[in-house]
Amino acid sequence: RRHTRLQGDWSSDVCSSDLFVHTNPFIKFKTGSIFEWSAPTPFESANKTYFDTSSHEQPIFRISRTMFMGSAAPNHTFINGFVEVSNGNTLYIQNSGNRYFRDGFGGDGNIIMSGGSIEINGKNFTHTRINGSGAVFLSGNTSGIIIPDQAKVSLTSDYAINGSSFNVAVHPGGKLHCGNYTLYGSANFLLTSGAELGIGSSEGISNGSTGNIQTAGRSFDAGSIYQYNGSFNQATGDALPQHIQGGIVLKNTGTSGNNQITLTKGLLISGFMEFNQGILITNNTDKALCFNTNSNSAGANFQSYVAGPVKKIGNTPFAFPTGKPPVAFTIPGDPPVNGFAGGYRPLEISNLSGTDTFLAEYIVANPNIWKIKKEAFDKGLKQISNCEYWNLSRSGYTRADVTLS
């Protein structure tokens, strides 16, 4: 049944009360069910698998007594659930070999690891997690903590991982989403090329004492994917690589006016930028956004676009994902006309005659039509808005067709 607790608490010198957990195919642990180990002797770990490998349930392996866990490669340990160290106890992990804690680890106790590695390989953000008031201490010959390919891990509380010469590594294809919580401690954090980091902090990722990642050492690869998914205004942070060869994903779920992501510094995109939710704020000086040749912009919509200037380098068609938050306006007259300008208003260039650098921005303001030369109307211009316009410029002399939306 769900939320059932089974406890192994033999008091004899030889304890085998864990046998039914890793040998009996007819015993199933449902989500929230707990297998609690409080015996004075260690549970078996060498080449042992706890809980059903094929199950989609998320049971808990609770360790409520200070315990030593040893094994040696290739005798790994597989726990297909969440490992919780409780009641302020300590789990000592020794010797080589991988410990696969599928749904993560945490609790109010500590993990002291001097050999092997912990690998979190669950594929469900809701159930695969790191949390608790305890901490991890890495030392000796440990390979650290690994989030491998296809794993989807959530940080669901502030958590400390310590060990100045050791790593918490998100491997290519792995994903760590931090919400509004902080990973900190004296260990090193490595986000490798092809890995994804979900950033929910209002400060983004930084080189200082703010943001989601505050470990002593931090490495953010240009080939990684950075997803900004906070629920309030965010900054990208000064640790975001300035030349992105992986991708940027905008998924800020804040309400209107509280859903902005502001560039902390200039950004060159050679990979992709995906728009879902949230408005990216740029300027043309220290917060410039530029799409390089062969880069990709996708998904811009009325909930997600760039409010500010956007550059594009190249000779291929490109839709600038421009816009501005909607603004109410009144057109004088008898009677006056009330309305709104702004939102997602893209500008597209096509049929380019060569390679150039284009700069585009959508602006909600009166373009002052008296500045428009009469020759423009003679060449086919029919009407000019008095509440919005686009600025489009180029560094060279490339010709292009322009489409406004």
Side-chain angles (χ1 to χ4, degrees), residues 275 291 297-310 317-325 341-350 359-364 388-392 401-405:
F275 295 83
F291 287 89
S297 167
N301 59 78
F302 277 91
Q303 284 75 47
S304 190
Y305 49 83
V306 178
V310 181
F318 185 75
F320 290 86
T322 50
K324 281 291 195 305
Y344 172 50
R345 302 302 301 274
L347 180 154
E348 184 175 355
I349 55 174
S350 58
L359 175 66
E361 182 177 8
Y362 170 73
I363 298 172
V364 178
E388 60 181 354
Y389 64 96
W390 288 261
N391 270 336
L392 177 65
D401 294 340
V402 178
T403 303
L404 307 177
S405 300

Side-chain angles (χ1 to χ4, degrees), residues 1 24-30 33 51-52 54-55 57:
R1 299 175 60 186
N24 194 327
F26 300 104
I27 296 205
K28 307 292 184 183
F29 284 78
K30 297 293 188 179
S33 296
F51 308 132
D52 185 0
S54 62
S55 174
E57 304 291 344

Side-chain angles (χ1 to χ4, degrees), residues 210-290:
T210 60
N212 284 124
I213 306 298
Q214 296 182 30
T215 51
R218 302 163 217 180
S219 176
F220 301 103
D221 197 275
S224 302
I225 298 169
Y226 299 87
Q227 182 181 124
Y228 286 86
N229 54 13
S231 56
F232 34 71
N233 290 339
Q234 296 182 266
T236 55
D238 61 10
L240 180 69
Q242 286 192 270
H243 185 184
I244 294 293
Q245 296 164 319
I248 300 288
V249 179
L250 305 183
K251 280 193 173 182
N252 185 292
T253 59
T255 56
S256 180
N258 202 29
N259 61 342
Q260 298 178 355
I261 303 124
T262 300
L263 284 186
T264 302
K265 58 186 180 182
L267 186 63
L268 174 65
I269 304 290
S270 290
F272 69 89
M273 178 170 281
E274 178 184 311
F275 295 83
N276 293 276
Q277 293 175 275
I279 298 170
L280 185 65
I281 306 298
T282 68
N283 65 34
N284 203 25
T285 53
D286 59 326
K287 299 178 177 65
L289 172 65
C290 181

Side-chain angles (χ1 to χ4, degrees), residues 36 67 79-82 110 120 129 224 313 323 336-338 361:
E36 181 173 346
M67 189 65 53
I79 298 179
N80 295 304
F82 180 80
N110 296 328
I120 307 173
R129 61 205 184 275
S224 302
I313 301 171
V337 177
N338 297 317
E361 182 177 8

